[in-house]
Structure formats: C-alpha cells, structure tokens
Amino acid sequence: MGVLRWAYPASRDELRQCLRDGARLHGGGTGILRRPPSEGTLADLSRTGLDEIAVAGSAVRFGGTATFARVLGAAHQLDPQHVISAALSTAASPGLRNRITLGGSLALFPPWSSLLGPLIALEARVELIGAHEGGVPVSDYLENAGLRRRTAITAIEIDPADGWGCHWYAFRRTRFTYPLLTVTVLTRHEGDSPASVRVVVTGCRGRYRRCRELEERVAADGIPDAVASSDLGTDFRDLQGFSGEYLAHRTAVEISRGLKTAGGAG
Amino acid sequence: MTGNLTVNGAPLLIDFDPEETLLDALRSAGFTEVKRGCEQGECGACLVLLDDLLVNSCQVFAATAVGGRVTTTAGLTGEPGVPHPIHEAYAATGAVQCGFCTPGMVMATFALLSGNPDPSDDEIREALAGNLCRCTGYVKIVEAVHLAAGRMRDDG
C-alpha cells in the first residue's frame, strides 16, 4: 500500500513540476476532502502566490487560489449588484467561503456550484499552466477534458459587467444547503429593448446549459410575457422531492422573472 | 509528519498523518473544545480561527495548516479560564443547552463581531448560517450575539 505525500510548490515552475509528476492539486477548499486520496502526492497551492485579485486593463483578474470570501469582497467593491456578489454571498457558509477557491471550484465543477452560471454568462477566461498553457474561454475549459488534465488554473478573468443588469437565482431545499439548480440572467439594454441577453442554467443534465436560442429570440423580439420550459432545451433528472418536469418548469419561471428584473438595470 | 502550529498563542509541535485534518490534530493535542460534529463542513461545531480567518477545521488538512496560528474558543481572551464577553453573553441569555454547538457558535460570533460590531438580526443569521443547533431554536443565540455585541461596544 502506498503513502500520501505532500508537496508545497512555491512558484509556477515548481507547480509545473508537480503537474508533470502527476500530483493532485489542493487549493484549500473542500472538494478533495470528500474523497481524500490515500496515496500519491497532494500539492498544496497556498504558497504559490496565485491568490492575487487585480484589475488588468478592462478586466478583473482573480487568482486561481483566491477564496470565495476574497472574491466576494472584491466583486462587492466592484458593484454590490454584481452577479458574482449575488452568487457567492449565499454560497456555502462564512467558514467554508474562507477556504473554497475559485480555481478549485471551477476545476472540480460540482453540480451544486454557485459560481459556474455567472462565470459562463460573463464569458470568463481561464488561464492555465501545465500540460496546456495560456488562456481559454471558460466554456472550452468545461467542455474539453484535455484542458483539465495535468493543468492548474492560475487565474480567471472577467469583464466588470458594466451596463449589464443581472439576476441570479438558486433553488435549494433549505437556506443553508447546496443549490439543486441555478439560473443566471444578464441583460444589456439599449433604450427600452434588450440589446444583449445571456441565460445560463446549471444543475440540468450535462451540468449546465447556455440557452442561446432563447438569448437570440429575446434580443430580436424583446422580453416575452413568459418563458416555457420547452423553450429552454434543458432537461432535468428526477430528484428526491422534485420531478425533472417540476425543475424544468421552475427554471422557466425564474428565467421569465430574471428577464424582467435584470432588464431594469440597463 | 510533524509541524509547528501556534495554538491560542502558544507554540505547539504536532505529529499527524498526511491525510489527517486540523480537527483531528487539534483534538489529539488536547484541544477538545473543538468539537467533532458532521465532519462535512455543515454543522460548524469544529470552527476555529486559522490565521484570523474562520474555518471549519474538519475541512482543513493539518498539512496545510502547518506554520499557522490557530485560535479556539478557549483562547479568545488570551488568558486561560477567563471568559470572553461572547461566552458570558451566551450563558446570560440561556443560549447554551447541551452545549455541543456552543464552541463553534462562539467562534462564528467572534468572527462576525470582529468585522461588524452592531449586526442586524439578518446579518447574525447569515453569519451563523453554517452552524447547526439542535436544542435552542436559535432565538436565544441571536439574543446572545446582540448582547455580546453591546457589551463589546461598551468595552471599546
């Protein structure tokens, strides 16, 4: 039986070496504790200096090991109504938000993540080192398993979302529990009409869906009185207490609400 | 593995397995005021401050805490056996019944009041959202936080 060893990379080069050696990464969050490894190498990323949060040109750049608590604080400073603020202010609990990292949450992509919908809707860019180096759109990172193998997320960049109205919603069984699904709606208006719309649902089959057909229709025809679940192309599994049909209907209702309320901030 | 921590202001050499949590390491070293509850980060019984940040010690590998400063509920005043105004407020309001959740509640309260000396009911409930109590129904706990906040403001 093997043993578990710890590595403490203190630079990007040392982190690259850990990745080449096949180490698993630990940013500080809780995901790895759900299935702790009993052998191999775990690399603790807390000394790599990847936790900086900075404004870079017109974008905001969050270090991969920036915690939810720090990201929440920065997003709140940017704009108290920012979609990242809305999502992270109710994510987990204060103690857990001090540990869960942005990069870890994206890399593990748990179905209950509060973060994924906003990052996809904001068309975030993910910066990687390791087997793949450079920046990629967050949707490419999520869809291409090759980008997740032997790579580390060093930063996530988002535009400040200036001019976007936002609506974020999580459907939960109780106040302090993980979301069963989330809805993110961003709208940017010109006059009274929405010029751009982004709608993302998480928790559905395939983990997430960006509702592009609905986005195009709303941008062309305006905000509809109601959105039907059949308009979304999302499909939900039956869960304990909630049928997939109910969850799809709940999602459609929340998107309808979001298109109207997010529209107020154009 | 071995490593150094500072716990409640005193240096401590801990001996731990690579997969051991900070909760296990602290309890093995005698800090049994840090309670073992759900071990999933959901009940808050094991909350401590690590480098001044509130953390669920069951969700922190001991190996990643090495070199850090840990504060438990017993170390809030820096003087052994001397209660903190938060401890006194919990006792005064009857917010302690079986007492199992109390160390974690006290730590979450301390973290809240360190940044917000006069929280509203909603802010208290949000700050304690990660702490479960199966006895009190939380009403007395919210009262205790208000009382502690008032006393700490009065004490400057």
PDB file of all heavy atoms in Angstrom, chain B residues 126-151:
ATOM      1  N   GLU B 126     -27.146  35.218   8.901  1.00  0.00           N
ATOM      2  CA  GLU B 126     -26.272  34.890   7.766  1.00  0.00           C
ATOM      3  C   GLU B 126     -24.909  34.424   8.269  1.00  0.00           C
ATOM      4  O   GLU B 126     -24.342  33.445   7.779  1.00  0.00           O
ATOM      5  CB  GLU B 126     -26.126  36.126   6.870  1.00  0.00           C
ATOM      6  CG  GLU B 126     -25.253  35.920   5.639  1.00  0.00           C
ATOM      7  CD  GLU B 126     -25.747  34.799   4.743  1.00  0.00           C
ATOM      8  OE1 GLU B 126     -26.962  34.665   4.555  1.00  0.00           O
ATOM      9  OE2 GLU B 126     -24.888  34.037   4.247  1.00  0.00           O
ATOM     10  N   ALA B 127     -24.378  35.114   9.287  1.00  0.00           N
ATOM     11  CA  ALA B 127     -23.051  34.755   9.807  1.00  0.00           C
ATOM     12  C   ALA B 127     -23.064  33.388  10.483  1.00  0.00           C
ATOM     13  O   ALA B 127     -22.044  32.697  10.521  1.00  0.00           O
ATOM     14  CB  ALA B 127     -22.572  35.814  10.791  1.00  0.00           C
ATOM     15  N   LEU B 128     -24.217  33.005  11.048  1.00  0.00           N
ATOM     16  CA  LEU B 128     -24.309  31.716  11.729  1.00  0.00           C
ATOM     17  C   LEU B 128     -24.961  30.650  10.845  1.00  0.00           C
ATOM     18  O   LEU B 128     -25.344  29.590  11.343  1.00  0.00           O
ATOM     19  CB  LEU B 128     -25.108  31.863  13.032  1.00  0.00           C
ATOM     20  CG  LEU B 128     -24.549  32.855  14.074  1.00  0.00           C
ATOM     21  CD1 LEU B 128     -25.419  32.849  15.323  1.00  0.00           C
ATOM     22  CD2 LEU B 128     -23.121  32.525  14.443  1.00  0.00           C
ATOM     23  N   ALA B 129     -25.057  30.939   9.554  1.00  0.00           N
ATOM     24  CA  ALA B 129     -25.746  30.007   8.646  1.00  0.00           C
ATOM     25  C   ALA B 129     -25.040  28.650   8.573  1.00  0.00           C
ATOM     26  O   ALA B 129     -25.663  27.647   8.247  1.00  0.00           O
ATOM     27  CB  ALA B 129     -25.853  30.606   7.251  1.00  0.00           C
ATOM     28  N   GLY B 130     -23.778  28.621   8.901  1.00  0.00           N
ATOM     29  CA  GLY B 130     -23.038  27.353   8.852  1.00  0.00           C
ATOM     30  C   GLY B 130     -22.949  26.654  10.196  1.00  0.00           C
ATOM     31  O   GLY B 130     -22.143  25.735  10.359  1.00  0.00           O
ATOM     32  N   ASN B 131     -23.759  27.080  11.169  1.00  0.00           N
ATOM     33  CA  ASN B 131     -23.732  26.467  12.497  1.00  0.00           C
ATOM     34  C   ASN B 131     -25.100  25.879  12.809  1.00  0.00           C
ATOM     35  O   ASN B 131     -26.108  26.584  12.753  1.00  0.00           O
ATOM     36  CB  ASN B 131     -23.407  27.524  13.575  1.00  0.00           C
ATOM     37  CG  ASN B 131     -22.005  28.056  13.437  1.00  0.00           C
ATOM     38  OD1 ASN B 131     -21.726  28.831  12.526  1.00  0.00           O
ATOM     39  ND2 ASN B 131     -21.122  27.641  14.321  1.00  0.00           N
ATOM     40  N   LEU B 132     -25.110  24.606  13.149  1.00  0.00           N
ATOM     41  CA  LEU B 132     -26.372  23.954  13.495  1.00  0.00           C
ATOM     42  C   LEU B 132     -26.488  23.800  15.004  1.00  0.00           C
ATOM     43  O   LEU B 132     -25.527  23.427  15.672  1.00  0.00           O
ATOM     44  CB  LEU B 132     -26.460  22.568  12.840  1.00  0.00           C
ATOM     45  CG  LEU B 132     -26.471  22.546  11.311  1.00  0.00           C
ATOM     46  CD1 LEU B 132     -26.573  21.108  10.812  1.00  0.00           C
ATOM     47  CD2 LEU B 132     -27.613  23.370  10.763  1.00  0.00           C
ATOM     48  N   CYS B 133     -27.681  24.081  15.547  1.00  0.00           N
ATOM     49  CA  CYS B 133     -28.003  23.822  16.955  1.00  0.00           C
ATOM     50  C   CYS B 133     -29.295  23.026  16.956  1.00  0.00           C
ATOM     51  O   CYS B 133     -30.262  23.443  16.320  1.00  0.00           O
ATOM     52  CB  CYS B 133     -28.191  25.129  17.715  1.00  0.00           C
ATOM     53  SG  CYS B 133     -28.815  24.865  19.393  1.00  0.00           S
ATOM     54  N   ARG B 134     -29.290  21.902  17.623  1.00  0.00           N
ATOM     55  CA  ARG B 134     -30.490  21.066  17.645  1.00  0.00           C
ATOM     56  C   ARG B 134     -31.329  21.296  18.894  1.00  0.00           C
ATOM     57  O   ARG B 134     -32.334  20.638  19.090  1.00  0.00           O
ATOM     58  CB  ARG B 134     -30.123  19.573  17.537  1.00  0.00           C
ATOM     59  CG  ARG B 134     -29.335  19.196  16.288  1.00  0.00           C
ATOM     60  CD  ARG B 134     -30.131  19.305  15.006  1.00  0.00           C
ATOM     61  NE  ARG B 134     -30.275  20.686  14.551  1.00  0.00           N
ATOM     62  CZ  ARG B 134     -30.819  21.043  13.399  1.00  0.00           C
ATOM     63  NH1 ARG B 134     -31.270  20.132  12.570  1.00  0.00           N
ATOM     64  NH2 ARG B 134     -30.942  22.309  13.067  1.00  0.00           N
ATOM     65  N   CYS B 135     -30.897  22.206  19.788  1.00  0.00           N
ATOM     66  CA  CYS B 135     -31.616  22.405  21.051  1.00  0.00           C
ATOM     67  C   CYS B 135     -32.390  23.710  21.102  1.00  0.00           C
ATOM     68  O   CYS B 135     -33.541  23.745  21.468  1.00  0.00           O
ATOM     69  CB  CYS B 135     -30.651  22.411  22.235  1.00  0.00           C
ATOM     70  SG  CYS B 135     -29.574  20.980  22.381  1.00  0.00           S
ATOM     71  N   THR B 136     -31.741  24.824  20.758  1.00  0.00           N
ATOM     72  CA  THR B 136     -32.270  26.120  21.185  1.00  0.00           C
ATOM     73  C   THR B 136     -33.297  26.723  20.248  1.00  0.00           C
ATOM     74  O   THR B 136     -34.066  27.572  20.664  1.00  0.00           O
ATOM     75  CB  THR B 136     -31.139  27.161  21.295  1.00  0.00           C
ATOM     76  OG1 THR B 136     -30.610  27.391  19.988  1.00  0.00           O
ATOM     77  CG2 THR B 136     -30.038  26.707  22.224  1.00  0.00           C
ATOM     78  N   GLY B 137     -33.290  26.348  18.993  1.00  0.00           N
ATOM     79  CA  GLY B 137     -34.166  27.037  18.045  1.00  0.00           C
ATOM     80  C   GLY B 137     -33.601  28.379  17.613  1.00  0.00           C
ATOM     81  O   GLY B 137     -34.271  29.136  16.928  1.00  0.00           O
ATOM     82  N   TYR B 138     -32.386  28.708  18.042  1.00  0.00           N
ATOM     83  CA  TYR B 138     -31.607  29.858  17.561  1.00  0.00           C
ATOM     84  C   TYR B 138     -32.030  31.218  18.134  1.00  0.00           C
ATOM     85  O   TYR B 138     -31.267  32.167  18.063  1.00  0.00           O
ATOM     86  CB  TYR B 138     -31.603  29.945  16.024  1.00  0.00           C
ATOM     87  CG  TYR B 138     -31.067  28.706  15.370  1.00  0.00           C
ATOM     88  CD1 TYR B 138     -31.908  27.759  14.835  1.00  0.00           C
ATOM     89  CD2 TYR B 138     -29.692  28.464  15.323  1.00  0.00           C
ATOM     90  CE1 TYR B 138     -31.409  26.605  14.251  1.00  0.00           C
ATOM     91  CE2 TYR B 138     -29.190  27.317  14.736  1.00  0.00           C
ATOM     92  CZ  TYR B 138     -30.060  26.385  14.201  1.00  0.00           C
ATOM     93  OH  TYR B 138     -29.573  25.260  13.630  1.00  0.00           O
ATOM     94  N   VAL B 139     -33.237  31.321  18.698  1.00  0.00           N
ATOM     95  CA  VAL B 139     -33.699  32.635  19.170  1.00  0.00           C
ATOM     96  C   VAL B 139     -32.757  33.161  20.252  1.00  0.00           C
ATOM     97  O   VAL B 139     -32.322  34.319  20.214  1.00  0.00           O
ATOM     98  CB  VAL B 139     -35.146  32.538  19.706  1.00  0.00           C
ATOM     99  CG1 VAL B 139     -35.574  33.854  20.363  1.00  0.00           C
ATOM    100  CG2 VAL B 139     -36.101  32.185  18.565  1.00  0.00           C
ATOM    101  N   LYS B 140     -32.424  32.305  21.219  1.00  0.00           N
ATOM    102  CA  LYS B 140     -31.540  32.728  22.310  1.00  0.00           C
ATOM    103  C   LYS B 140     -30.122  33.004  21.800  1.00  0.00           C
ATOM    104  O   LYS B 140     -29.412  33.833  22.356  1.00  0.00           O
ATOM    105  CB  LYS B 140     -31.495  31.648  23.406  1.00  0.00           C
ATOM    106  CG  LYS B 140     -32.834  31.401  24.075  1.00  0.00           C
ATOM    107  CD  LYS B 140     -33.258  32.607  24.893  1.00  0.00           C
ATOM    108  CE  LYS B 140     -34.546  32.346  25.644  1.00  0.00           C
ATOM    109  NZ  LYS B 140     -35.050  33.565  26.305  1.00  0.00           N
ATOM    110  N   ILE B 141     -29.750  32.304  20.778  1.00  0.00           N
ATOM    111  CA  ILE B 141     -28.402  32.512  20.223  1.00  0.00           C
ATOM    112  C   ILE B 141     -28.314  33.899  19.573  1.00  0.00           C
ATOM    113  O   ILE B 141     -27.334  34.632  19.770  1.00  0.00           O
ATOM    114  CB  ILE B 141     -28.045  31.382  19.227  1.00  0.00           C
ATOM    115  CG1 ILE B 141     -27.832  30.080  20.009  1.00  0.00           C
ATOM    116  CG2 ILE B 141     -26.813  31.735  18.410  1.00  0.00           C
ATOM    117  CD1 ILE B 141     -27.685  28.844  19.157  1.00  0.00           C
ATOM    118  N   VAL B 142     -29.342  34.266  18.841  1.00  0.00           N
ATOM    119  CA  VAL B 142     -29.348  35.606  18.233  1.00  0.00           C
ATOM    120  C   VAL B 142     -29.349  36.666  19.345  1.00  0.00           C
ATOM    121  O   VAL B 142     -28.628  37.670  19.261  1.00  0.00           O
ATOM    122  CB  VAL B 142     -30.561  35.768  17.287  1.00  0.00           C
ATOM    123  CG1 VAL B 142     -30.658  37.207  16.778  1.00  0.00           C
ATOM    124  CG2 VAL B 142     -30.448  34.798  16.117  1.00  0.00           C
ATOM    125  N   GLU B 143     -30.108  36.410  20.412  1.00  0.00           N
ATOM    126  CA  GLU B 143     -30.093  37.341  21.564  1.00  0.00           C
ATOM    127  C   GLU B 143     -28.686  37.442  22.146  1.00  0.00           C
ATOM    128  O   GLU B 143     -28.221  38.526  22.513  1.00  0.00           O
ATOM    129  CB  GLU B 143     -31.034  36.839  22.677  1.00  0.00           C
ATOM    130  CG  GLU B 143     -32.489  37.163  22.445  1.00  0.00           C
ATOM    131  CD  GLU B 143     -33.355  36.614  23.581  1.00  0.00           C
ATOM    132  OE1 GLU B 143     -32.871  36.505  24.730  1.00  0.00           O
ATOM    133  OE2 GLU B 143     -34.519  36.283  23.307  1.00  0.00           O
ATOM    134  N   ALA B 144     -28.017  36.311  22.249  1.00  0.00           N
ATOM    135  CA  ALA B 144     -26.666  36.296  22.817  1.00  0.00           C
ATOM    136  C   ALA B 144     -25.698  37.128  21.970  1.00  0.00           C
ATOM    137  O   ALA B 144     -24.850  37.851  22.505  1.00  0.00           O
ATOM    138  CB  ALA B 144     -26.157  34.856  22.925  1.00  0.00           C
ATOM    139  N   VAL B 145     -25.849  37.042  20.665  1.00  0.00           N
ATOM    140  CA  VAL B 145     -24.946  37.806  19.789  1.00  0.00           C
ATOM    141  C   VAL B 145     -25.197  39.306  19.969  1.00  0.00           C
ATOM    142  O   VAL B 145     -24.256  40.099  20.072  1.00  0.00           O
ATOM    143  CB  VAL B 145     -25.109  37.380  18.309  1.00  0.00           C
ATOM    144  CG1 VAL B 145     -24.188  38.209  17.419  1.00  0.00           C
ATOM    145  CG2 VAL B 145     -24.806  35.891  18.146  1.00  0.00           C
ATOM    146  N   HIS B 146     -26.463  39.684  20.033  1.00  0.00           N
ATOM    147  CA  HIS B 146     -26.766  41.109  20.268  1.00  0.00           C
ATOM    148  C   HIS B 146     -26.194  41.565  21.608  1.00  0.00           C
ATOM    149  O   HIS B 146     -25.618  42.659  21.706  1.00  0.00           O
ATOM    150  CB  HIS B 146     -28.279  41.334  20.251  1.00  0.00           C
ATOM    151  CG  HIS B 146     -28.868  41.433  18.877  1.00  0.00           C
ATOM    152  ND1 HIS B 146     -28.450  42.347  17.948  1.00  0.00           N
ATOM    153  CD2 HIS B 146     -29.852  40.703  18.277  1.00  0.00           C
ATOM    154  CE1 HIS B 146     -29.155  42.198  16.832  1.00  0.00           C
ATOM    155  NE2 HIS B 146     -30.012  41.199  17.004  1.00  0.00           N
ATOM    156  N   LEU B 147     -26.362  40.737  22.656  1.00  0.00           N
ATOM    157  CA  LEU B 147     -25.869  41.120  23.984  1.00  0.00           C
ATOM    158  C   LEU B 147     -24.341  41.254  23.971  1.00  0.00           C
ATOM    159  O   LEU B 147     -23.783  42.223  24.499  1.00  0.00           O
ATOM    160  CB  LEU B 147     -26.302  40.080  25.027  1.00  0.00           C
ATOM    161  CG  LEU B 147     -25.844  40.353  26.465  1.00  0.00           C
ATOM    162  CD1 LEU B 147     -26.453  41.655  26.981  1.00  0.00           C
ATOM    163  CD2 LEU B 147     -26.245  39.186  27.386  1.00  0.00           C
ATOM    164  N   ALA B 148     -23.693  40.275  23.350  1.00  0.00           N
ATOM    165  CA  ALA B 148     -22.222  40.317  23.278  1.00  0.00           C
ATOM    166  C   ALA B 148     -21.766  41.548  22.497  1.00  0.00           C
ATOM    167  O   ALA B 148     -20.813  42.232  22.893  1.00  0.00           O
ATOM    168  CB  ALA B 148     -21.694  39.054  22.621  1.00  0.00           C
ATOM    169  N   ALA B 149     -22.458  41.829  21.406  1.00  0.00           N
ATOM    170  CA  ALA B 149     -22.080  42.996  20.589  1.00  0.00           C
ATOM    171  C   ALA B 149     -22.178  44.261  21.421  1.00  0.00           C
ATOM    172  O   ALA B 149     -21.278  45.115  21.393  1.00  0.00           O
ATOM    173  CB  ALA B 149     -22.981  43.085  19.355  1.00  0.00           C
ATOM    174  N   GLY B 150     -23.266  44.400  22.168  1.00  0.00           N
ATOM    175  CA  GLY B 150     -23.448  45.584  23.002  1.00  0.00           C
ATOM    176  C   GLY B 150     -22.363  45.696  24.062  1.00  0.00           C
ATOM    177  O   GLY B 150     -21.783  46.777  24.264  1.00  0.00           O
ATOM    178  N   ARG B 151     -22.054  44.588  24.705  1.00  0.00           N
ATOM    179  CA  ARG B 151     -21.028  44.624  25.756  1.00  0.00           C
ATOM    180  C   ARG B 151     -19.649  44.924  25.171  1.00  0.00           C
ATOM    181  O   ARG B 151     -18.855  45.658  25.773  1.00  0.00           O
ATOM    182  CB  ARG B 151     -21.003  43.285  26.506  1.00  0.00           C
ATOM    183  CG  ARG B 151     -22.219  43.092  27.400  1.00  0.00           C
ATOM    184  CD  ARG B 151     -22.177  41.753  28.102  1.00  0.00           C
ATOM    185  NE  ARG B 151     -23.265  41.635  29.064  1.00  0.00           N
ATOM    186  CZ  ARG B 151     -23.503  40.541  29.768  1.00  0.00           C
ATOM    187  NH1 ARG B 151     -22.722  39.466  29.652  1.00  0.00           N
ATOM    188  NH2 ARG B 151     -24.504  40.501  30.621  1.00  0.00           N
TER     189      ARG B 151
END
